[in-house]
């Protein structure tokens, strides 16, 4: 998702829905994302991989101090998934 403008959580959900093949009924919230990664059984694409790494640029949603970011980052917490935030080039 590098190079993509992700200003808020809604933009993040838009960005991951297609590549992760999230179902239409996916909750588009951090609890649903956590369940998809940790519990499995929601999305075949995620289920078929042992680890999920999401690469993003350090902009908008992913800049230090963004109020929405901590909940999203905590949903990634664990050995199965992590966001990798890159300095903008």
């Amino acid at each position: 998702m590098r190079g993509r403008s992700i200003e808020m959580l809604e933009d993040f959900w838009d960005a991951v829905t297609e590549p992760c093949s999230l179902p239409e009924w996916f909750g588009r919230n951090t609890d649903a994302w956590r369940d998809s990664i940790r519990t499995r059984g929601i999305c075949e694409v995620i289920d078929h991989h042992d680890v999920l790494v999401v690469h993003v640029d350090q902009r908008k949603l992913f800049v230090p101090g963004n109020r929405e970011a901590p909940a999203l980052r905590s949903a990634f917490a664990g050995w199965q998934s992590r966001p990798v935030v890159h300095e903008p080039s």
Side-chain angles (χ1 to χ4, degrees):
M1 296 189 327
R2 295 206 53 204
R4 187 168 181 154
S5 178
I6 301 175
E7 295 186 28
M8 53 190 166
L9 281 173
E10 285 303 312
D11 299 324
F12 179 79
W13 305 131
D14 291 343
V16 297
T17 295
E18 185 178 334
C20 292
S21 293
L22 295 173
E24 287 185 28
W25 50 265
F26 176 75
R28 293 177 68 94
N29 62 65
T30 55
D31 290 333
W33 183 245
R34 183 180 301 109
D35 290 346
S36 297
I37 296 167
R38 295 182 185 181
T39 307
R40 308 289 179 125
I42 294 171
C43 169
E44 286 186 32
V45 171
I46 292 174
D47 292 352
H48 281 94
H49 299 279
D50 293 331
V51 177
L52 172 68
V53 179
V54 176
H55 291 265
V56 295
D57 292 329
Q58 188 178 35
R59 295 185 190 141
K60 313 286 183 178
L61 179 60
F62 296 97
V63 297
N66 184 298
R67 294 190 320 250
E68 292 183 297
L72 181 58
R73 285 194 179 112
S74 71
F76 276 100
W79 69 269
Q80 290 177 305
S81 64
R82 68 182 180 275
V84 176
V85 181
H86 299 271
E87 294 282 330
S89 49

